Each structure stands twice: as structure tokens, then as C-alpha cells.
Amino acid sequence: MKHALIALVFCAPASFAAAQDMQFSTAKLESCLGLTSDPSKEMLHCVGKAAAACMEATEGGYSTAGMVGCLDAEAQWWDRKLNQTYGEVMAAAKEMDRGKPDYAPSRVEALRAMQRAWIPYRDAKCAFARSEWGGGTGAGPAGVSCLLEETASQTLYLNASLGLG
């Protein structure tokens, strides 16, 4: 059931994008990310900038479908960044594990366990965010916004572990 709800949320942007000329660009987001001096904390204020610019630039961008479409476009961008970053952190963890003493914990195992635990946490948190709308039209934007924020936050957390920000 939980996966069906997530699938419904992610189906809406495709129909919105087909029906509208969505104006999505990551330029403002990437510019914001490039200007921060403290990558571990300050970058969080950049999250949502691409979605907000999309809503502003797209006719109907502040409709429920428009918000979901724009929020989902940025969430997908962060998801791709998360997958890339996870791969980089995993490669670094494997390298660290090669030289670790036998008594030291495995960084690879810890990273994998953390990420596997984070996914159901994210899903449950975003289901709760949707539930606050009691089935109303705000549930879609709230759920996708939550996925965007949680995915971005996790990406930035993993980036910080590499010192990449």
C-alpha cells in the first residue's frame, strides 16, 4: 500500500509535464550550491530553489499538479545526485576498509546498513507528511516536498562524509 501511494505521487508529474510546458532548470539550485562556504550546513537552504523557480516560471506552476511536477523534477535531480554520491562514498569506504585493523568496524557495512535504514525512515516520514493533509489536495505536494527535502538532506550528509559538501 505504501508503495502504491508513492507511485501515485510520482505518476502525477508525468501527466502534468505532458499537459504543460514545465519550465524546470537546476541553474538556481546549482548556483546556490556553488556559493556556499560551509558545505555541511549552509547547503540546506539551497534545497527547493529549482522547484520554486519552476513553479514561478511555469504557467499553472502553483496549481497542485504544477507544484507536484516541479517538486518532483527537483526530487529526481537530488535522487540522481544521491545515487552518484552513495557510489563515491561506497568506493571511499571500500578503500578505507582495505587498510583497517581487524578490530575496527567495517565502513562499507555501516554505510550500507545506514542507507538501508534511511529508506524506510524517509518513506514513513513522507507518508506522515502526506497524512497531515487528511487526503486533501495538499497531500501530493507535501509528500513530494518531503521526498525532495529528505533526499537532498541525505545527499548532503553523504557528501559531507567525503568532504565534498
Side-chain angles (χ1 to χ4, degrees):
M1 180 65 172
K2 182 176 9 174
H3 297 293
L5 291 175
I6 291 170
L8 286 174
V9 169
F10 285 114
C11 288
S15 62
F16 169 73
Q20 301 282 335
D21 186 21
M22 189 168 67
Q23 304 295 314
F24 181 77
S25 168
T26 59
K28 287 188 179 192
L29 170 61
E30 290 177 12
S31 175
C32 180
L33 292 172
L35 295 175
T36 59
S37 59
D38 179 3
S40 62
K41 300 284 185 230
E42 289 184 25
M43 288 183 160
L44 286 174
H45 82 278
C46 298
V47 176
K49 287 204 179 284
C54 173
M55 287 180 233
E56 184 68 32
T58 301
E59 185 177 338
Y62 289 107
S63 67
T64 300
M67 288 187 287
V68 168
C70 292
L71 290 164
D72 182 61
E74 186 173 337
Q76 302 255 347
W77 185 87
W78 280 107
D79 189 59
R80 288 188 298 276
K81 292 291 278 183
L82 176 61
N83 290 326
Q84 174 189 350
T85 303
Y86 179 81
E88 293 169 5
V89 174
M90 182 57 78
K94 287 177 181 177
E95 187 61 35
M96 288 181 74
D97 278 1
R98 280 191 197 98
K100 75 172 183 63
D102 290 341
Y103 60 82
S106 167
R107 189 133 168 99
V108 167
E109 289 174 19
L111 172 62
R112 190 174 291 126
M114 184 259 315
Q115 193 67 9
R116 286 180 178 165
W118 172 78
I119 292 168
Y121 166 78
R122 174 206 61 196
D123 293 347
K125 183 174 183 180
C126 294
F128 179 71
R130 283 189 305 276
S131 77
E132 292 182 37
W133 288 86
T137 59
V144 179
S145 180
C146 177
L147 289 171
L148 173 131
E149 291 167 9
E150 290 301 310
T151 303
S153 180
Q154 185 71 355
T155 303
L156 296 173
Y157 175 78
L158 290 175
N159 266 337
S161 77
L162 288 171
L164 298 176

